[in-house]
């Protein structure tokens, strides 16, 4: 194993916590800093706080040894060679990223800088943030020779963040100075050299066969790589959603169309799943921030406005589907499966599922919701009420429902016992915003099944009745 580096990660959220344990996993000594005392205490005592595959096992392995948790950024700064900033960059008023947390962290680091450090932006930030961090540290009286600022964007998907970190498609290092680039190359050497993947206890994944490339760019290019990548993926989703709407208008099938497109290696099959629109803490915020950066720089990037428009429209179209299946909404009892912004995570930030629940409540529906991991967070945001209850499982949610909506692509939903669901419901109507089920199977189980970009199917019995009525 190559040389262990002393690393500080500031921010122990979805990004920082995963980065911290993964740096420990590849052999470094990490101190994870957060200004939320409660969070730090919980992490110190072994609570993982977020639902993320492999995280509990890595935390168990490194907690208070390879990874320490603290609120003391000054001490962490003095002890470490590299400081990764992974604090939140929420959306500001005009769509631009609010960088006040990043600035606050930079100023605090400045106060403790006494020997050379590399400060690395890990949070998603707009182009020029590197420059601003540098300026703000200098303004606090730190000599330029004592630090460098670099950009090392993360490309972690929630739910698979640990294996995305350890098995990345690429590692992007945006550094304008040689010492900073060299330190980051050393930090990632266990991955780029392939040494990590040879360890018997290594978490297996795509890079076990071929180690990932490290791309060295300028700091500004790295900042743009991150925003452009997320914006492009969001665009891909809006594009397929628009095509799915076209399929609905023509009775074509989006699954066939997406497969036909995705087999073209220039397009690729991933991120072509239609649905109720993208959500999460990254895509909505990053598309808005990238648009805002372009605007400020006088660059016409209206394409991004269209991406956002299609995304917002997708939720309204889904609501219209529910309305047209049920005729009227007031007083209807709706089962909702899924609250997280996507499957395999407990994160509900910018979740289209939560937006839809709120829209349905505003229409006067009564909702019984179930999510395998996101109910605690949902309850904090949308407390249970006379019109909203949280069910203990999918079947309890479906009980006496006028319709069941699938809003999150949890793998466990695919394995549901359809017969049991059918029996539980008052009317067997399923409106699937994630295309989790095969229409034919749903039809055979007696459901009216409406999904995205695919022809709706009706129970065989209903079709026979309609045919005999027509004779
Ligand atoms: C966030 C951003 O949303 C994302 O765009 C960026 O790439 C990385 O940071 P995430 O990890 O999901 O991603 O954010 P969050 O879960 O909010 O975690 C941020 C952490 O930073 C919190 O634990 C918060 O307490 C901490 N924090 C925030 C500090 O330690 N200091 C601060 O000044 C502000
Ligand atoms: C994303 C990026 O993928 C990751 O590289 C970046 O660092 C952080 O933002 P994440 O937000 O965790 O990751 O989830 P992702 O899997 O990208 O999904 C984002 C949203 O798009 C979800 O709401 C998901 O349901 C939706 N989506 C995704 C689709 O609707 N269709 C698809 O084909 C893919």
């Amino acid at each position: 194993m190559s040389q262990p580096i002393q690393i500080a990660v500031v921010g122990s959220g979805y990004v920082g916590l995963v980065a911290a344990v993964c740096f420990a996993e590849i052999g470094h000594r990490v101190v994870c800093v957060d200004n939320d005392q409660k969070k730090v205490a919980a992490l110190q005592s072994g609570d993982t706080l977020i639902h993320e595959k492999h995280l509990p096992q890595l935390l168990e392995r490194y907690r208070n040894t390879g990874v320490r948790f603290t609120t003391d950024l000054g001490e962490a700064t003095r002890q470490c060679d590299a400081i990764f900033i992974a604090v939140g960059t929420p959306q500001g008023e005009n769509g631009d990223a609010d960088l006040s947390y990043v600035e606050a962290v930079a100023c605090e680091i400045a106060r403790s800088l006494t020997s050379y450090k590399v400060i690395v932006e890990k949070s998603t930030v707009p182009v020029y943030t590197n420059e601003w961090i540098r300026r703000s540290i200098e303004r606090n009286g730190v000599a330029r020779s004592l630090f460098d600022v670099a950009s090392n964007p993360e490309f972690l998907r929630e739910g698979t963040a640990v294996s995305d970190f350890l098995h990345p498609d690429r590692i992007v290092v945006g550094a304008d100075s040689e010492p900073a680039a060299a330190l980051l190359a050393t930090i990632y050497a266990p991955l780029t050299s392939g040494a990590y993947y040879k360890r018997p206890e290594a978490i297996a994944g795509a890079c076990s066969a071929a180690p990932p490339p490290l791309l060295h760019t300028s700091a500004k290019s790295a900042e743009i790589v991150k925003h452009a990548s997320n914006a492009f993926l969001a665009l891909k989703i809006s594009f397929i959603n628009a095509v799915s709407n076209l399929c609905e208008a023509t009775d074509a099938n989006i699954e066939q169309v997406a497969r036909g497109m995705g087999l073209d290696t220039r397009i690729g099959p991933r991120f072509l799943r239609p649905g109720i629109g993208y959500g999460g803490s990254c895509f909505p915020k990053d598309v808005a921030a990238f648009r805002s950066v372009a605007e400020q720089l006088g660059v016409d990037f209206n394409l991004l406005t269209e991406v956002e428009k299609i995304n917002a429209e997708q939720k309204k179209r889904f609501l219209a589907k529910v309305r047209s299946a049920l005729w009227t909404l007031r007083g209807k009892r709706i089962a909702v499966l899924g609250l997280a912004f996507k499957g395999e995570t407990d994160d509900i930030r910018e979740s289209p599922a939560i937006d839809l629940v709120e829209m349905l409540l505003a229409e006067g529906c009564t909702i019984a919701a179930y999510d395998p991991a996101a109910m605690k967070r949902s309850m904090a945001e949308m407390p249970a009420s006379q019109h909203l209850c949280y069910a203990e499982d999918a079947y309890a949610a479906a009980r006496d429902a006028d319709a069941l909506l699938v809003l999150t692509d949890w793998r466990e939903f695919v394995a549901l016992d359809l017969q049991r669901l059918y029996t539980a419901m008052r009317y067997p109507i399923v409106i699937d915003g994630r295309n989790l089920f095969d229409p034919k199977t749903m039809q055979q189980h007696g459901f009216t099944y409406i999904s995205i970009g695919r022809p709706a199917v009706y129970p065989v019995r209903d079709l026979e009745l309609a045919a005999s009525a027509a004779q």
Side-chain angles (χ1 to χ4, degrees):
M1 190 58 79
S2 62
Q3 181 192 351
I5 305 287
Q6 301 282 339
I7 294 176
V9 177
V10 190
S12 58
Y14 286 84
V15 174
L17 185 57
V18 169
V21 297
C22 288
F23 281 137
E25 168 76 354
I26 61 174
H28 303 302
R29 297 195 62 81
V30 185
V31 45
C32 191
V33 189
D34 205 291
N35 64 1
D36 181 336
Q37 195 129 28
K38 271 203 212 127
K39 219 172 202 180
V40 171
L43 288 164
Q44 282 169 337
S45 66
D47 191 340
T48 28
L49 296 176
I50 54 172
H51 179 90
E52 195 59 63
K53 195 168 173 205
H54 300 304
L55 191 59
Q57 113 204 33
L58 290 187
L59 258 181
E60 185 58 35
R61 200 179 290 168
Y62 299 110
R63 182 169 56 91
N64 301 332
T65 56
V67 184
R68 281 191 306 112
F69 296 99
T70 178
T71 52
D72 191 343
L73 178 54
E75 188 215 343
T77 302
R78 284 187 291 277
Q79 285 174 356
C80 292
D81 304 307
I83 304 157
F84 286 77
I85 303 181
V87 295
T89 50
Q91 194 166 322
E93 260 172 38
N94 305 316
D96 48 346
D98 173 353
L99 298 175
S100 52
Y101 296 141
V102 175
E103 187 186 8
V105 167
C107 292
E108 209 177 325
I109 291 173
R111 284 196 278 279
S112 307
L113 268 187
T114 47
S115 59
Y116 178 77
K117 313 281 171 194
V118 178
I119 295 150
V120 192
E121 321 161 333
K122 195 87 182 138
S123 300
T124 307
V125 290
V127 63
Y128 286 118
T129 304
N130 245 266
E131 291 269 321
W132 277 110
I133 294 178
R134 182 181 59 72
R135 269 188 234 171
S136 99
I137 294 178
E138 277 185 313
R139 275 181 195 161
N140 279 278
V142 180
R144 187 64 196 85
S145 57
L146 273 188
F147 73 99
D148 276 311
V149 186
S151 166
N152 171 223
E154 50 82 19
F155 303 101
L156 313 177
R157 287 161 305 166
E158 285 178 28
T160 54
V162 169
S163 58
D164 285 348
F165 188 101
L166 296 168
H167 295 272
D169 289 346
R170 77 301 204 191
I171 295 161
V172 177
V173 167
D176 299 324
S177 92
E178 268 316 309
L183 184 68
L184 279 156
T186 307
I187 289 174
Y188 285 107
L191 300 183
T192 52
S193 67
Y196 169 70
Y197 309 109
K198 295 195 184 104
R199 281 171 34 191
E201 77 285 9
I203 290 174
C207 294
S208 306
L214 184 146
L215 177 71
H216 181 189
T217 68
S218 69
K220 284 185 196 134
S221 299
E223 289 168 332
I224 295 180
V225 166
K226 171 66 200 198
H227 260 160
S229 301
N230 271 1
F232 188 80
L233 291 169
L235 175 146
K236 218 174 163 187
I237 298 168
S238 276
F239 189 91
I240 204 66
N241 279 333
V243 176
S244 77
N245 298 339
L246 208 64
C247 288
E248 285 175 9
T250 53
D251 260 356
N253 185 324
I254 190 64
E255 303 293 325
Q256 295 170 1
V257 174
R259 185 156 163 73
M261 288 169 63
L263 282 170
D264 185 326
T265 51
R266 292 169 303 175
I267 298 173
R270 295 166 77 189
F271 278 71
L272 284 183
R273 277 179 288 112
I276 51 174
Y278 59 78
S281 69
C282 286
F283 284 178
K285 167 170 78 71
D286 291 352
V287 174
F290 203 35
R291 171 176 53 68
S292 165
V293 165
E295 247 165 54
Q296 283 164 27
L297 296 170
V299 174
D300 180 349
F301 212 159
N302 282 331
L303 178 62
L304 297 178
T305 313
E306 291 304 315
V307 168
E308 291 177 312
K309 222 161 94 186
I310 294 171
N311 199 54
E313 203 51 42
Q314 206 60 15
K315 279 180 278 201
K316 293 190 198 142
R317 281 184 68 97
F318 188 80
L319 183 68
K321 274 189 181 145
V322 180
R323 188 179 285 118
S324 87
L326 294 181
W327 188 21
T328 62
L329 291 178
R330 182 158 302 281
K332 292 280 160 68
R333 187 181 154 85
I334 311 274
V336 161
L337 296 194
L339 295 161
F341 80 99
K342 66 171 193 179
E344 323 309 318
T345 175
D346 60 347
D347 196 349
I348 55 162
R349 289 179 289 179
E350 299 290 323
S351 170
I354 297 281
D355 290 346
L356 275 161
V357 167
E358 281 170 349
M359 286 157 134
L360 288 161
L361 288 171
E363 295 277 348
C365 297
T366 296
I367 300 206
Y370 169 71
D371 187 286
M375 292 212 285
K376 202 166 139 207
R377 290 184 194 276
S378 303
M379 279 174 206
E381 188 158 309
M382 295 185 304
S385 66
Q386 195 191 344
H387 293 290
L388 171 65
C389 74
Y390 292 91
E392 63 187 12
D393 60 27
Y395 307 105
R399 197 171 303 138
D400 295 329
D402 293 305
L404 178 141
L405 315 185
V406 181
L407 300 186
T408 307
D409 51 348
W410 276 98
R411 271 196 296 271
E412 75 167 61
F413 294 160
V414 181
L416 283 172
D417 179 341
L418 295 175
Q419 194 53 51
R420 225 178 125 190
L421 266 193
Y422 178 91
T423 315
M425 294 176 68
R426 194 150 97 101
Y427 295 112
I429 300 172
V430 173
I431 308 165
D432 182 356
R434 301 292 191 161
N435 286 3
L436 289 195
F437 299 104
D438 168 42
K440 218 178 209 133
T441 310
M442 294 302 278
Q443 183 176 42
Q444 282 160 357
H445 280 84
F447 289 102
T448 291
Y449 179 65
I450 298 157
S451 53
I452 309 282
R454 304 184 295 184
V457 294
Y458 301 93
V460 178
R461 201 183 50 237
D462 285 9
L463 292 178
E464 284 166 0
L465 284 176
S468 67
Q471 276 165 13

